[in-house]
Amino acid sequence: VLARRFTFEPAEIEATEGERLRIIVRSADGPHGFEIKKFKVSKEVARGGEPVVIEFTPDEAGRFPIVCSLFCGDGHGDMKGALIVTARAVASR
C-alpha cells in the first residue's frame, strides 16, 4: 500500500476471514499512520523510511475503515480506505 497525501493506493484491500493477511505500507511523501481499529492495527509510516509490514488475521467478515492516524495536512480527514473481509466458505458435506 502506498500512503500519500491524501490517499491510500489501493484504497481497498480484500482479504478472507481467518486467513493471515500481510500488508506492506510505505509513504510517498511524508509521515502517515495506517489504522484499522476493528483489528487493533495501528502503525506509523515514516517518510522515506523502510516499508512497514503489518500482519494479522481478520476474524470477522465485513467492511472495515482504514484511516490515516497521524495528522498529515489539511486533507488528512479525507485519507481513508477500506479492508473488505469475505466470509470463509463453509465446506459442503
Side-chain angles (χ1 to χ4, degrees):
V1 174
L2 182 64
R4 77 170 62 194
R5 293 193 176 122
F6 296 100
T7 63
F8 291 111
E9 297 171 14
E12 293 185 346
I13 299 170
E14 295 183 5
T16 302
E17 177 184 17
E19 291 186 10
R20 191 105 178 122
L21 178 61
R22 180 180 184 158
I23 304 170
I24 300 170
V25 186
R26 63 185 179 90
S27 172
D29 48 22
H32 293 284
F34 186 90
E35 182 174 84
I36 308 170
K37 287 184 181 181
K38 174 64 181 175
F39 299 110
K40 296 181 174 83
V41 169
S42 185
K43 297 285 185 179
E44 288 191 18
V45 184
R47 171 183 54 184
E50 291 294 313
V52 174
V53 178
I54 301 165
E55 292 185 274
F56 66 100
T57 303
D59 58 1
E60 183 178 326
R63 184 180 179 94
F64 306 97
I66 299 171
V67 298
C68 179
S69 57
L70 187 64
F71 184 77
C72 58
D74 290 340
H76 169 74
D78 296 326
M79 190 168 176
K80 298 176 183 171
L83 172 65
I84 301 164
V85 181
T86 305
R88 177 178 279 186
V90 178
S92 57
R93 296 181 188 190

